[in-house]
Amino acid sequence: MAPGGSSLFGVAAPRLEDDRLLAGRGRFVADLVLPGMVEAAFVRSEVPHALIRGVDSEAARSSPGVRAVFSGAEAGMSPVPDAMPWVRAVRHVPLARDRVRYAGCPLAVVVAEDRYLAEDAAELVDVDLDPLPTVDTADDALAPDAPRLYPDWDDNLLLHIAPENPEVDAAFETHRTISGSYTTNRCSAAPLEPRGVVAEYRDERLTVWTSTQAAFVVRTMLSQVLGLPEREIRVITPDVGGGFGQKNEIYPEEYVVPWLAMRLGRPVRWIEDRREHLTAAGHARDVRVDLDAAVRADGTIAALRGRVLSDLGSGEMFPAGFGPSLVAVGSLCGPYRIPHQCVRVQAAVTNKTPLGGYRGFGAPEATFAIERLVDKIAREMDLDRVELRRRMLLDPEDLPYETASGARVDSGSHRAAFDRAVEIGERMLEEERERDPGALLGVGCATYIEGVAASAFSITGSWSGQDSADVRFDADGGVTVGVGISAMGQGSRTMVATMVAEELALPLDRVRVVMGDTDTAPFGLGSWASRSAIVAGGAVARAAEALRGKGTEIAAHLLEAAPEDVELAEGAFRVRGSPGSEVPWERVAKTALTRTFELPPGMPPGLDARTSYEPPGMDHAPRPDGKMNAAANYTNSSHAAVVRVDAETGQVRVLRYAAVHDCGRVINPLTVAGQIHGGVAQGIGSAVYEHLPHAEGQPLATTFMEYLLPTAREIPPIDTEEFCSPAPETPFGVKGAGEAGIIGPPAAIAGAVERALAPLAPVDVTAVPLTPSVVRGLIEEARS
């Protein structure tokens, strides 16, 4: 607790978890060593599409140190459930049995005394594959004569949503149409720690350690695929070296390794290498947004129509990879007053690694599309791009506001944040011009809203948006709090401890946080969609309210005062107007837990509370009008990027960056700044460097030699500013900060590149990443 009983919120306190991690005392999946443990290695298809004729593992079984080899036909696991009736059933199994649909698909698994022996033996497994024609892109998948990835489907669409809106049709009959098509290419989250699983089956109970963002979801899926009751499964997430949504998927290896532990009676470990990660862990983005805008005479948009077309890869992923496309549709209007939209979704399967989640989850793709289209409208109508945005931006008096997709925006600083970002961007540009007057420099801006704490029902068919907290006092006045969210480097322990200390008027060092263990933490859905502060905060606030109430009654009894005359401050209960009388939490806890004879008559012992919380106002399915408010609240942000372009080589260098952000009430400014900086760095990677190309189904970037990640050298100075517009309906007034940093860079950088190249040629940037070859192509195309 801060000195003088002041709020802990807004204090830039060091994170509680950092000392242990920086000192090398972190414990990750790869650090786990159990007695008798063996290692697994997977045999993966080198062919993107084929029928499986047979798997010969005799040579591998006789290899030194090998304990077992299993093919898909020999592994007795149920298919992963298809829980969503609104999408086609995939019925994928953890080890392929009849057909492979992407290069990297697991076909068999080898278990040996160590990883090296397992890898050697895996190379001896002879797989007989009968190649089939490949489907290389989403456009190819839509062709009438395209090969079918799933023979019982009549096309290659996992999901197709085709809404109708007469008001949109009327707008296009009245106004001018300006169109564009915008592509965000395939990339990977690439966390520092790849995936890993350790499993042990002992005393008829399965324990699984896995690098995941959602331990309870993993437990449920293991129960359904392995046929064990959930109570007989314990899932633990050790330290997680980055998740970014990619570890919010449930992967084949997370089923196979526990099955092996049950089958062999020995602990089994599998640790992913980087090649496996780039070919078998969920890919991201790979979306094209085709948009038409009905444009009024002043350039403002009366309606949007179009299509979001995503390349899902093989579609063999849970949760399925169509979710970002739904979020993209809901994010297209951003903070603009665009009254109507009608956008269909086509999610096609192809012979690539399955698409999954990645930080931003559709919002970067939508923001790139609408911001590029707004710039195009300004260019074609000879309008100032900044002033055009100002004409459409939400004003404070517009709030609360429902967007054309159904999002209910109840607070924010949309215009103020945008104006500030533009001001910073122009200043940065002038400073760079003074520093390098002959360079091709440009500044671009982007503004958007981000839905936080979203419902999971539309992408899982099972879970909605709830979470829990378990807060209990020890007899010495210390507190242990268990929460259902997960830690993956984002400072969750510090955040939860701060909220508990704030609510109970305790010092931070009196709070211990437990998470990531289905045996010791209460039920929760994990950490994704920037949800942790809202859902954990809501549950913590309810539990703390119950504890304050009981603590007040106990203290009033001990003080011989009426409960309504007792207040809590600085770790103690006091009678108002009697400064010399107080009962600290230690005395209250000891009374509740040990000296129970001192409790008020009829009060049961104990000082603990378990509560659940689900944000109000969320839609878990579309309303009758097709609209949907799928998130608890909406963060807003505006970004500005200054770039230098080398016209000869096509190289784009991001020189300066600014993010003006509003996530409601800030709990810890250091944590928020860290989230924004990390997100911007990843967004720069997506905008300029990172790409996972394929040719005839074969991945062309399978190591960091080909998959280009930005380093500290490529990340510029990042200025961050916080506007604080507390959310009126969320606990503590918080929103979310985990994903906002990554949403703006592709749009802002694309606009900056266009401006930088304007003296040479009028280029139209419609795709990212802006690699040197892409930029050179834009210049040559414009000149020709």
Side-chain angles (χ1 to χ4, degrees):
M1 187 171 57
S6 59
S7 176
L8 294 170
F9 280 31
V11 177
R15 301 196 319 176
L16 302 177
E17 49 268 84
D18 286 354
D19 285 349
R20 184 178 63 86
L21 294 172
L22 293 172
R25 298 195 302 273
R27 187 168 174 80
F28 300 86
V29 173
D31 296 318
L32 296 173
V33 178
L34 302 178
M37 186 173 72
V38 289
E39 304 263 1
F42 285 85
V43 179
R44 300 184 184 275
S45 176
E46 296 181 358
V47 178
H49 197 195
L51 297 175
I52 302 172
R53 298 302 187 191
V55 178
D56 183 355
S57 56
E58 287 306 313
R61 284 193 174 92
S62 60
S63 185
V66 170
R67 293 292 168 261
V69 182
F70 296 100
S71 66
E74 297 164 327
M77 289 171 278
S78 300
V80 177
D82 293 290
M84 295 155 289
W86 49 90
V87 300
R88 280 175 162 157
V90 173
R91 296 187 295 276
H92 78 277
V93 290
L95 291 177
R97 295 174 184 170
D98 303 313
R99 179 187 293 241
V100 296
R101 297 181 176 88
Y102 64 97
C105 173
L107 294 164
V109 63
V110 177
V111 182
E113 292 298 323
D114 64 45
R115 176 62 183 257
Y116 302 101
L117 294 174
E119 292 277 9
D120 290 343
E123 294 182 2
L124 301 177
V125 176
D126 184 15
V127 181
D128 183 9
L129 299 177
D130 185 6
L132 296 170
T134 59
V135 178
D136 295 325
T137 68
D139 284 322
D140 293 341
L142 298 181
D145 58 348
R148 300 286 184 261
L149 269 70
Y150 296 90
D152 56 333
W153 297 6
D154 57 9
D155 57 33
N156 284 316
L157 287 174
L158 182 77
L159 174 69
H160 186 199
I161 301 174
E164 296 180 357
N165 189 332
E167 293 171 307
V168 170
D169 298 337
F172 277 90
E173 291 175 0
T174 305
H175 301 292
R176 172 181 178 178
T177 299
I178 296 179
S179 305
S181 183
Y182 304 101
T183 299
T184 305
N185 278 300
R186 183 170 283 241
C187 61
S188 171
L192 185 63
E193 178 209 25
R195 297 177 295 134
V197 187
V198 173
E200 180 181 40
Y201 189 66
R202 178 185 294 182
D203 299 328
E204 298 184 350
R205 197 155 193 264
L206 177 66
T207 301
V208 179
W209 295 262
T210 181
S211 185
T212 185
Q213 297 172 224
F216 282 94
V217 177
V218 171
R219 186 182 71 174
T220 297
M221 299 305 293
L222 286 173
S223 172
Q224 295 181 11
V225 172
L226 302 182
L228 284 177
E230 288 197 42
R231 64 184 176 274
E232 300 301 338
I233 303 172
R234 180 183 185 184
V235 176
I236 301 170
T237 60
D239 290 311
V240 176
F244 311 120
Q246 193 178 47
K247 293 180 182 175
N248 199 42
E249 309 289 345
I250 317 299
Y251 290 95
E253 298 86 356
E254 287 176 292
Y255 304 111
V256 174
V257 172
W259 180 83
L260 289 170
M262 295 172 63
R263 179 69 178 260
L264 301 178
R266 296 180 65 175
V268 181
R269 179 173 68 177
W270 169 76
I271 303 298
E272 181 181 59
D273 63 34
R274 191 58 68 176
R275 179 182 175 86
E276 285 180 299
H277 180 84
L278 287 171
T279 56
H283 290 176
R285 313 301 189 220
D286 212 348
V287 169
R288 188 177 77 236
V289 182
D290 303 320
L291 283 182
D292 301 325
V295 183
R296 303 183 184 100
D298 65 353
T300 59
I301 300 173
L304 287 174
R305 69 183 179 195
R307 173 182 68 165
V308 174
L309 175 61
S310 62
D311 183 336
L312 297 182
S314 74
E316 297 163 300
M317 180 71 78
F318 184 88
F322 64 82
S325 295
L326 303 182
V327 172
V329 171
S331 303
L332 275 171
C333 290
Y336 298 129
R337 291 187 301 271
I338 301 174
H340 307 294
Q341 75 170 42
C342 185
V343 180
R344 60 194 174 111
V345 174
Q346 290 182 308
V349 291
T350 66
N351 293 120
K352 297 177 186 171
T353 302
L355 207 69
Y358 182 27
R359 198 175 191 176
F361 204 74
E365 299 94 297
T367 300
F368 178 72
I370 189 63
E371 292 294 85
R372 296 281 67 236
L373 185 59
V374 170
D375 276 353
K376 184 175 184 180
I377 292 170
R379 186 170 60 248
E380 292 197 5
M381 299 184 69
D382 196 24
L383 299 170
D384 182 90
R385 63 199 177 101
V386 171
E387 289 305 318
L388 176 56
R389 286 173 167 84
R390 287 192 177 118
R391 290 175 189 173
M392 295 190 291
L393 277 168
L394 293 173
D395 285 311
E397 56 267 24
D398 295 322
L399 304 177
Y401 178 84
E402 182 173 284
T403 70
S405 65
R408 289 192 288 271
V409 182
D410 60 16
S411 57
S413 53
H414 311 91
R415 180 177 294 275
F418 176 73
D419 286 344
R420 180 59 179 152
V422 169
E423 178 187 351
I424 297 172
E426 293 297 336
R427 188 199 71 217
M428 293 190 307
L429 178 62
E430 289 306 312
E431 290 171 357
E432 292 301 322
R433 281 175 173 163
E434 291 176 7
R435 190 175 293 118
D436 192 356
L440 291 174
L441 302 174
V443 62
C445 59
T447 186
Y448 54 89
I449 59 174
E450 175 212 351
V452 297
S455 169
F457 189 75
S458 62
I459 63 169
T460 65
S462 299
W463 292 277
S464 52
Q466 79 283 8
D467 234 274
S468 307
D470 184 358
V471 184
R472 65 181 187 273
F473 273 88
D474 299 316
D476 63 359
V479 172
T480 297
V481 53
V483 288
I485 63 171
S486 299
M488 50 184 168
Q490 78 276 43
S492 292
R493 296 182 190 279
T494 301
M495 177 194 69
V496 171
T498 301
M499 292 188 294
V500 172
E502 177 83 1
E503 287 291 275
L504 298 178
L506 287 170
L508 270 176
D509 59 11
R510 295 269 291 277
V511 181
R512 174 175 174 265
V513 180
V514 175
M515 61 176 69
D517 185 333
T518 58
D519 270 13
T520 61
F523 181 84
L525 303 184
S527 291
W528 40 271
S530 301
R531 70 190 299 270
S532 299
I534 292 178
V535 295
V540 161
R542 288 182 174 177
E545 182 181 14
L547 292 173
R548 283 197 313 271
K550 186 170 185 177
T552 299
E553 290 189 45
I554 295 171
H557 180 70
L558 296 173
L559 290 166
E560 299 181 353
E564 58 268 22
D565 294 332
V566 175
E567 63 181 358
L568 173 63
E570 299 184 56
F573 295 88
R574 300 173 181 138
V575 179
R576 292 184 184 88
S578 300
S581 61
E582 69 174 36
V583 174
W585 270 117
E586 293 95 320
R587 175 82 186 279
V588 171
K590 186 169 290 188
T591 299
L593 295 167
T594 61
R595 297 175 62 88
T596 56
F597 54 85
E598 293 183 337
L599 287 170
M603 178 177 284
L607 196 56
D608 56 78
R610 173 171 288 192
T611 59
S612 295
Y613 175 80
E614 183 166 78
M618 279 196 300
D619 296 325
H620 302 294
R623 306 194 294 266
D625 62 1
K627 296 181 179 181
M628 185 175 178
N629 181 54
N633 213 278
Y634 295 85
T635 293
N636 70 270
S637 192
S638 292
H639 291 198
V642 175
V643 305
R644 180 179 65 233
V645 181
D646 186 324
E648 296 304 315
T649 66
Q651 183 185 40
V652 174
R653 178 83 178 181
V654 183
L655 301 177
R656 303 277 292 276
Y657 204 92
V660 183
H661 181 248
D662 190 336
C663 62
R665 191 180 179 194
V666 173
I667 299 173
N668 188 318
L670 283 179
T671 298
V672 173
Q675 289 292 294
I676 300 301
H677 279 239
V680 167
Q682 287 180 303
I684 290 172
S686 298
V688 183
Y689 301 101
E690 300 178 47
H691 188 200
L692 285 170
H694 286 67
E696 297 181 354
Q698 289 294 341
L700 303 182
T702 60
T703 73
F704 283 159
M705 292 290 289
E706 302 92 18
Y707 188 76
L708 189 60
L709 286 169
T711 68
R713 182 180 176 86
E714 284 75 45
I715 303 303
I718 301 171
D719 295 341
T720 61
E721 290 189 12
E722 279 295 325
F723 282 36
C724 299
S725 304
E729 295 184 359
T730 65
F732 308 109
V734 299
K735 298 180 184 177
E739 297 173 272
I742 200 172
I743 297 172
I749 291 168
V753 169
E754 277 192 359
R755 300 269 288 180
L757 293 176
L760 293 182
V763 302
D764 184 11
V765 176
T766 61
V768 287
L770 288 162
T771 60
S773 61
V774 169
V775 174
R776 282 294 308 162
L778 287 171
I779 295 171
E780 292 168 5
E781 181 181 356
R783 284 174 170 171
S784 65

